[in-house]
Amino acid sequence: MRLIHTSDWHLGQTLHGQDRNHEHTQFLAWLLDQLVAHQADALLIAGDVFDTVNPPLKAQERLYDFIVRAHERLPQLDIVMIAGNHDSGGRIELPGPLMKRLNAHAIGRISWIDDGQLDHDRLLVPLHDASGKVAAWCLTLPFLRPAEVTGLSVGDDYMAGIRQVHERLIAAAETLRQPGQALVAMSHAHMAGGAVSEESERNIVIGNAEALPASLFPEAVAYVALGHLHKPQQVASQARIRYSGSPLPLSFAEVNYPHQVLLVSFEGEQLARIESLPVPRAVEMIRVGRAPLAEVITQLEALPTIGLFSENLPWLEVRVLLDEPLPDLRQRIETAITGKACRLVRIASEYAGRRGEADSEVLVGLDQINPQELFARAWEEQFGNPPDEQALDDFATLLQQVEFASDEVGQ
């Protein structure tokens, strides 16, 4: 059996206000060709399918059009996707009955049966080989919010609730599978030791809980397809536990990531091979600076020229070091790139410290500051010192409650 593991599509995302529909269209066309070329038996999408809980209509159309086209070209293909922390679990599951007719399964959240038992049947999805036989079971673990895993026997212990869900689901899968069938887990989570990008990923470590340990996935699970972290990486030096990474750079901080999807092959219940399939970049991203204005202008003037506007023109971020504010900074930069093959999306100005410090103070927009950092800044401004650990934990818990409430409203 062969499957392709991908995650963090973030359909509907904009780059500093610029639409990225063309890039997503090109990626999905390429992905469909890869599924056909490698005769994949399954496609796993490990969360953050959309960029927001209320994605634009065009983004939803893009997803469902892809599913239909994939079924037309590969009628036996199993598609399984889970909700990430950016997604609305209810929205992901809404077209479920129709999607199942296309061998597509969407798992947005876990649920419990009245007697406090995990409803594991809906979380276990069979994956079929080319002959139509069940070759593996996919254990689907969408982003687990505190309200879904706490209470009853674990009380308010979020990590204990996470561990309980994993243990019960794996035990159910072990009971269900037949000899020769592999166990494949798919999860959207922050695993311990994972490398986080500077600007793109929301922190989903909640309250006093730490990032999740690799021990949640015992050796019986042949492969773990992870989503959330945008940089491709193994977890705990285990080749079987992987983040595929995002297929597109979602910020300029990710411009040098090796964007990919993973082709994963099994022999019976054993993992056989993992192969990286690099994603071609439909639109390049150019980062000029961090440097003084004169040097930045020289670099901009050296950019190649272009005749007509094209949707394939690179995105451009300019980072300038200044001694003092320049009212005509944008005008100077725009003059330097007139006729150049780029689209300016961001200018970041950095000023020397007001008291003559060697370090620079960076002026950034709210879109570049995560909620935790903004809270810490506001706290220090109000009380004169940084927030303590308890305050940060309380804020993280409140933030999750607000995002969960937004998810409910989005449905």
Side-chain angles (χ1 to χ4, degrees), residues 176-286:
L176 183 63
R177 74 159 166 176
Q178 300 298 312
Q181 295 176 346
L183 295 186
V184 179
M186 180 164 55
S187 173
H188 191 92
H190 185 175
M191 304 298 293
V196 181
S197 69
E198 296 173 20
E199 301 170 1
S200 304
E201 296 141 350
R202 293 179 190 165
N203 182 9
I204 57 175
V205 178
I206 301 171
N208 291 313
E210 299 296 331
L212 306 186
S215 59
L216 288 172
F217 300 104
E219 293 292 333
V221 180
Y223 183 75
V224 182
L226 295 170
H228 175 59
L229 299 186
H230 299 165
K231 184 176 184 178
Q233 55 196 289
Q234 298 180 23
V235 171
S237 300
Q238 297 189 51
R240 69 184 180 96
I241 307 179
R242 299 232 183 179
Y243 287 99
S244 63
S246 60
L248 306 178
L250 298 169
S251 74
F252 284 92
E254 301 176 12
V255 67
N256 293 320
Y257 285 3
H259 297 279
Q260 61 171 23
V261 301
L262 294 171
L263 177 64
V264 186
S265 302
F266 299 84
E267 295 291 346
E269 61 189 57
Q270 301 297 320
L271 175 64
R273 290 180 308 280
I274 303 173
E275 180 183 350
S276 172
L277 304 179
V279 179
R281 194 168 293 180
V283 177
E284 292 296 329
M285 299 179 76
I286 303 173

Side-chain angles (χ1 to χ4, degrees), residues 46-167:
D48 282 357
V49 182
F50 297 115
D51 192 56
T52 64
V53 296
N54 292 308
L57 180 59
K58 185 183 294 184
Q60 297 177 65
E61 290 177 346
R62 186 69 55 224
L63 172 65
Y64 302 126
D65 179 70
F66 169 81
I67 291 173
V68 170
R69 290 177 180 273
H71 183 70
E72 289 173 346
R73 295 183 66 179
L74 291 169
Q76 300 302 316
L77 178 73
D78 290 313
I79 299 176
V80 188
M81 64 181 179
I82 58 175
N85 58 301
H86 279 250
D87 297 312
S88 161
R91 185 181 296 279
I92 287 288
E93 291 187 349
L94 190 61
L98 291 175
M99 290 174 58
K100 285 183 179 179
R101 294 178 178 270
L102 305 174
N103 295 336
H105 308 265
I107 310 300
R109 60 184 55 196
I110 66 169
S111 57
W112 300 86
I113 303 173
D114 290 340
D115 59 359
Q117 296 298 311
L118 180 68
D119 187 4
H120 53 71
D121 288 344
R122 59 186 297 274
L123 302 177
L124 295 172
V125 178
L127 303 179
H128 303 84
D129 61 19
S131 69
K133 295 180 179 179
V134 176
W137 290 90
C138 184
L139 292 68
T140 60
L141 290 157
F143 173 58
L144 299 174
R145 293 175 168 82
E148 296 173 306
V149 300
T150 56
L152 298 177
S153 61
V154 300
D156 294 329
D157 191 334
Y158 177 65
M159 183 61 75
I162 292 280
R163 188 172 296 280
Q164 177 180 253
V165 169
H166 283 72
E167 290 174 349

